Amino acid sequence: MTSTIKRAFAPVVDERTRLLVLGSLPGDASLKAAQYYAHPKNGFWRLIGGVVERDLVALTYEDRLEALKAAGVGLWDVIASAERPGSLDAAIRSPEAADLRGLIAGLPELRAVAFNGATAARNGRRALAGLEGLTLVDLPSSSPAHTRPLAEKAAAWATLKPVLRESVER
């Protein structure tokens, strides 16, 4: 049997990052494209675009990342590597945790961490247990495997807007 070890991408953050959105681990479409949330049916870019009030879907991938950073939003995953045939989180085995605390220590403006889906929330909350001063937000997964209607997901993701506004007003 061939190895099914999958690895996370590098974090997309800078000194302006106020909100960090954490997924679980890139799926096959993302790994093949070397892009976060590359599966065409994944709602991430529409959902986070609603949060930052910008049409990110219309932009190139590089411009999407720059727009997120300019809005104070960073991306990463809670799992650095794991065995996983396919793309479903339920298939993740032997996960190696990402160094979330190490990343967060270098983000002076960080105010909130949002978890994209239940696997990200479960692993991320465990990794960040006891960390003071951050708002933690569990979100419905942007994955097409999570079948709630996009409008329902968008309403939940919209709760991030005040987090970004509050950070700007400080």
Side-chain angles (χ1 to χ4, degrees):
M1 186 170 182
T2 60
S3 173
T4 56
I5 299 291
K6 312 258 170 98
R7 299 191 189 290
F9 300 132
V12 175
V13 295
D14 66 18
E15 68 282 349
R16 302 169 290 179
T17 301
R18 296 182 312 270
L19 168 66
L20 181 61
V21 180
L22 297 172
S24 56
L25 184 70
D28 288 346
S30 292
L31 291 168
K32 184 177 180 182
Q35 298 180 359
Y36 279 99
Y37 304 102
H39 192 289
K41 292 187 178 176
N42 192 301
F44 177 80
W45 295 108
R46 290 184 297 277
L47 293 167
I48 198 68
V51 173
V52 301
E53 299 176 345
R54 183 151 182 209
D55 180 7
L56 298 175
V57 176
L59 302 177
T60 66
Y61 179 69
E62 293 74 20
D63 288 344
R64 289 175 184 179
L65 297 182
E66 287 306 313
L68 284 185
K69 288 193 288 188
V73 177
L75 297 178
W76 206 25
D77 289 303
V78 298
I79 298 171
S81 68
E83 292 178 34
R84 180 175 68 186
S87 297
L88 295 178
D89 283 355
I92 292 173
R93 301 290 178 263
S94 305
E96 176 193 329
D99 183 11
L100 299 180
R101 288 176 178 261
L103 178 70
I104 287 169
L107 300 175
E109 298 299 316
L110 189 67
R111 302 291 178 260
V113 175
F115 303 108
N116 184 358
T119 299
R122 184 173 52 255
N123 287 279
R125 283 184 175 276
R126 186 179 314 126
L128 299 178
L131 195 62
E132 299 289 325
L134 285 179
T135 300
L136 303 180
V137 181
D138 295 2
L139 299 169
S141 175
S142 64
S143 168
H146 186 74
T147 58
R148 284 173 61 184
L150 190 65
E152 240 181 76
K153 293 179 185 184
W157 282 65
T159 64
L160 298 176
K161 286 183 183 184
V163 172
L164 284 178
R165 283 195 199 110
E166 172 190 311
S167 299
V168 169
E169 294 167 2
R170 285 181 179 226

